[in-house]
Amino acid sequence: MADHSFLSTTSNRIRLALLCSAASLLASGIEVRADEQGTTHLGLLLLDPAHVRARDPDGNAADRGNSHYVADAELERARMGDLRDLFAGIASVSVGGAIPVAQKIFVNGVDMLNLAVSVDGVAQNNRIFHHVSANAFDPGLLKFVRVDAGATGADAGPHALAGAVVMETVDATDILAPGRAIGGTARLSFADNGRTLGRSVTLAGQHQGLEWLAYGKRATGDDYRTGSGLEVAGSAADITSTLLKFAYEAPDGHRVELSGQRPQDDALRPFRANMIGVGAPRDPRRYDTTRDTLALSYENTQATGLWDPRIVLGKSQVRIGVDQPTAPALGTSWGDSETISGRIENRFHIATGTVTAGVDFYDRTSTYSDDATPGITEKAHNLGFYAQARLDPTEALSLSFGLRHDRQDFTGTTGWNRAFSGLSGNLSVAYALTDSLTLRGGVSSVFGGVALEDNFIFNPGWDYGGVRASRGTNYTLGFDYEADRLRLDGELFLTEIANARTSTFGSNATGDARSRGFNLGLGYAWDGGFLRGSYAYSRISVDGATPDSYAALDLGAPLGGVLAVEIQHTPEGSAFTLGGSVEAASAYRRVATGSDQAIPGYAVLNLFAEYRWSGVAGMAVRFGVDNLFDRQYADRATYGADYASVTPIYEPGRTLSIMASYDF
């Protein structure tokens, strides 16, 4: 039986979830305007995710009904932080791991490894060493983040089993003030817990259609302490991140863009980076992690009618080196994952909407090597054809439907080779019952092929006879309500993944996974401020049974109920903005076979004050205190809290911070 004690015994918390929840759609800032009768209405400004949705050409399409957009203000606050800071306001997107190298992302309870992830249109790698993250990104270089949970379009790319994550890096025009030819932003931050010093500089310029941008960030510090005073060995910040981008846009809209980025983390980390320890403590060891993404694209920003092409070519690579002090003969173990990908597509603008059609491909290679092993490799090549229609037949009805076909050639560690192919289809419908209330639903069936496994468990003796192509099936049913200053939303979801790889070194196997649950949200804005929040409940099963953390590895996580609340206010005429947030999770008592304890609940309060320096244009200073009451807790998405033998990687205790930024 599911543990619903949190819901049944704490009705006040449910009211809080309902009243502070659906905030995934309401952020911060308001605009007052008058109608013909002079009545005041609420508009939405930069701090609301709806403002970001409006910049998405398909933001109002039916298949975007389950999409979560990270607000501009959230991006700004996460600039000197990590992925957990980036998604802190969205309860259905959970990030566990405490330190960037170990942070794993879960969407509706499903590991992001089962979503199509792209940066600047370039497909990212999926699996890597299971103790570290396969998707560590620097929020400081991002300008747009969208999470498509569940059914998504055929143009999301291959392997969108449970949705997609789309990220875009900043352009020169995002940095430069109107009319400026050159400029930039400098940031400096310090956090007392771990004595972490962060500094970043962004420089940008433009001249007669030519744009350039250079970004650099460095964060260093000491090991932090948890709420109980435990010093987490191997948690010290030591990250370097860079981005270079060049673009040319002709007067008639033809735009070519080239970008390259590299975040690097090379430092001592916990022996198993995603946990403090198992049983007796072990000394930290060196993890050398480098992620590269190179992207080249062409589009016409002014295109209309039946000819609106886009071309993207790119490469993403993750290289992780892990010292093996307990096996000196191995030296350093290396895992390399590389994906070369591309797409050519055209968007046909028709009277009732758009139709996007195209072809995409990837060549993906994953290799393990050490001093005693020359290299063990898995490879996959995929070619896909797709078409996606997004139509508005009437003012009330919005439809999105698409189809794609993929053919994958897979080669295993033994040289075993086989081709897999399959169709994928999706359908999403949104219908406005009234001016305020919209009902929506979606379904998709997605061919996933065979995922490359964790290269740190590659076995040259694997039997591939039982490996099958995976398939994801998604169902969602939800609503959106908006009336003046109030916004509500909610949805039920079910995601099923068949034939997902669940291999260990000793065996090459597949299994079935399912995640189901619901999301609720509410937002309310007033002149100068906002309240937003979201509540998510998910339950995962593997092969029909409740899994422990290990059985769910790379598929999902036992999350249960998660709550996120944010509030912010700027007094009229004041240079100060005051606010805070609550992050909470209910106790998770669905103890599975293999685990031996319930996961405790927690509630953490964070506060901040920001001051816009009136005497220095472009200067802002932000003061914050995270985990005000110094709670010891591990984020619900962190691995291992359901085992008494595991010490999970706890989040930092009370942390005082200051960040200064200057636009020039």
Side-chain angles (χ1 to χ4, degrees), residues 413-585:
T413 60
T414 63
W416 181 89
N417 179 265
R418 183 176 173 185
F420 302 87
S421 62
L423 289 171
S424 302
N426 68 87
L427 170 64
S428 296
V429 180
Y431 186 77
L433 290 178
T434 69
D435 291 341
S436 300
L437 179 62
T438 298
L439 300 182
R440 53 181 166 81
V443 60
S444 69
S445 178
V446 182
F447 169 83
V450 178
L452 303 189
E453 253 299 354
D454 173 349
N455 47 26
F456 278 76
I457 64 168
F458 276 179
N459 186 339
W462 269 343
D463 178 5
Y464 285 86
V467 173
R468 301 288 183 270
S470 62
R471 178 163 292 274
T473 307
N474 300 278
Y475 305 92
T476 59
L477 182 63
F479 73 92
D480 297 294
Y481 178 82
E482 182 178 355
D484 195 41
R485 299 173 180 263
L486 177 68
R487 226 176 240 195
L488 296 166
D489 69 86
E491 64 191 16
L492 301 171
F493 65 83
L494 171 63
T495 293
E496 297 177 320
I497 302 176
N499 297 319
R501 288 190 76 180
T502 58
S503 304
T504 64
F505 179 81
S507 64
N508 197 8
T510 60
D512 300 333
R514 167 188 286 190
S515 181
R516 53 181 171 168
F518 63 88
N519 299 314
L520 293 171
L522 176 152
Y524 185 77
W526 58 89
D527 294 353
F530 75 97
L531 172 70
R532 60 173 302 216
S534 51
Y535 178 80
Y537 182 87
S538 63
R539 183 199 307 174
I540 190 168
S541 62
V542 176
D543 291 332
T546 298
D548 53 35
S549 294
Y550 184 77
L553 192 65
D554 293 339
L555 300 175
L559 299 181
V562 179
L563 174 68
V565 179
E566 294 182 324
I567 188 170
Q568 174 175 307
H569 180 69
T570 303
E572 184 177 358
S574 174
F576 281 96
T577 297
L578 307 175
S581 64
V582 173
E583 48 190 285

Side-chain angles (χ1 to χ4, degrees), residues 151-374:
T152 191
D155 51 355
H159 200 70
L161 290 168
V165 178
V166 177
M167 301 182 183
E168 296 178 10
T169 57
V170 293
D171 294 322
T173 53
D174 301 313
I175 302 299
L176 298 174
R180 292 288 302 275
I182 192 168
T185 299
R187 294 183 176 87
L188 187 66
S189 66
F190 179 78
D192 72 325
N193 190 351
R195 300 179 61 83
T196 300
L197 177 64
R199 51 276 195 201
S200 73
V201 175
T202 306
L203 299 174
Q206 59 181 352
H207 178 68
Q208 297 182 349
L210 181 65
E211 303 171 12
W212 61 269
L213 180 143
Y215 164 88
K217 176 181 175 182
R218 183 82 173 114
T220 54
D222 301 326
D223 295 335
Y224 68 74
R225 293 184 180 273
T226 70
S228 68
L230 173 66
E231 183 175 294
V232 180
S235 63
D238 191 354
I239 298 175
T240 303
S241 183
T242 56
L243 168 69
L244 289 174
K245 179 176 282 192
F246 302 93
Y248 176 76
E249 184 168 333
D252 55 358
H254 294 284
R255 181 180 178 86
V256 178
E257 185 175 285
L258 174 66
S259 67
Q261 59 171 286
R262 167 175 285 186
Q264 185 172 24
D265 185 318
D266 183 3
L268 292 177
R269 297 297 171 211
F271 191 87
R272 297 176 177 87
N274 61 336
M275 62 187 81
I276 291 177
V278 179
R282 305 178 79 168
D283 292 334
R285 55 178 169 169
R286 178 173 175 248
Y287 282 73
D288 183 358
T289 305
T290 303
R291 165 180 288 278
D292 294 317
T293 299
L294 183 67
L296 175 65
S297 65
Y298 162 80
E299 63 180 332
N300 189 332
T301 60
Q302 301 175 23
T304 59
L306 298 180
W307 182 241
D308 184 3
R310 187 184 184 212
I311 302 172
V312 180
L313 296 172
K315 173 184 175 181
S316 65
Q317 183 174 16
V318 181
R319 179 171 171 83
I320 296 181
V322 182
D323 286 351
Q324 301 293 348
T326 59
L330 301 181
T332 299
S333 295
W334 292 98
D336 291 273
S337 293
E338 178 184 280
T339 298
I340 298 173
S341 65
R343 68 167 53 202
I344 302 174
E345 67 181 23
N346 184 67
R347 175 166 296 206
F348 302 88
H349 299 265
I350 58 178
T352 57
T354 64
V355 177
T356 302
V359 56
D360 57 28
F361 76 91
Y362 70 69
D363 278 304
R364 185 166 283 165
T365 303
S366 185
T367 301
Y368 171 85
S369 62
D370 56 46
D371 288 356
T373 308

